[in-house]
Amino acid sequence: MTSVLNFYERVWRLTRQIPRGRVSTYGLLAKALGQPRAARAVGNALNQSPGMPQVPCHRVVRGNGQIGGYALGTAAKAKILRQEGLQIGPKNKVVNFDKVLYTGFFKK
DNA sequence: ACGGTGACGCTCA
DNA sequence: TTGAGCGCCACCG
């Protein structure tokens, strides 16, 4: 049967686990949800996520290290990430992407 | 039920 | 390395 939580809610819940100063990717989130092909849907979920709550959707980036999209614009996203101590290089790529990538999602 | 949409990812050229 | 093409998927009229 379908889980108690819908897809979007599960995406938001996982996203909360990403620590400050680190990032994860849409694809990894999808995998953690048990649907490795749903990276695109994950992006939709974060886009639709209410801005208020503690869902750090700005910490979710592309698999290649580029920061990807953001409801308030990629510029705003880059700014926030810099405020959290991350460095954004040319082409909007996260510097030391492999070092700050978070993959330790807790299964739920 | 069906086709369109989009904060993606992988495969080449 | 960089960009075009195409597949994928949950949602929305």
Side-chain angles (χ1 to χ4, degrees):
Chain A
M1 61 172 270
T2 64
S3 63
V4 187
L5 274 19
N6 66 31
F7 184 80
Y8 280 19
E9 292 172 328
R10 296 179 59 196
V11 170
W12 302 336
R13 174 167 302 208
L14 269 188
T15 302
R16 283 185 316 187
Q17 299 181 25
I18 306 175
R20 182 190 170 86
R22 317 248 345 242
V23 297
S24 193
T25 74
Y26 301 95
L28 285 174
L29 245 44
K31 281 186 172 69
L33 288 174
Q35 296 175 72
R37 302 299 170 116
R40 199 162 191 178
V42 168
N44 288 331
L46 294 178
N47 186 28
Q48 299 307 316
S49 91
M52 263 315 296
Q54 331 195 23
V55 181
C57 38
H58 58 276
R59 296 179 189 151
V60 183
V61 302
R62 279 209 180 219
N64 60 5
Q66 293 196 244
I67 67 175
Y70 193 61
L72 305 178
T74 58
K77 187 169 182 176
K79 181 176 183 180
I80 298 176
L81 288 175
R82 279 191 294 261
Q83 289 178 35
E84 298 195 341
L86 294 176
Q87 291 184 14
I88 309 301
K91 206 46 179 150
N92 279 333
K93 285 199 79 172
V94 176
V95 178
N96 293 327
F97 176 57
D98 50 329
K99 304 290 198 296
V100 299
L101 180 60
Y102 178 78
T103 60
F105 293 106
F106 196 81
K107 293 183 179 180
K108 294 198 175 171

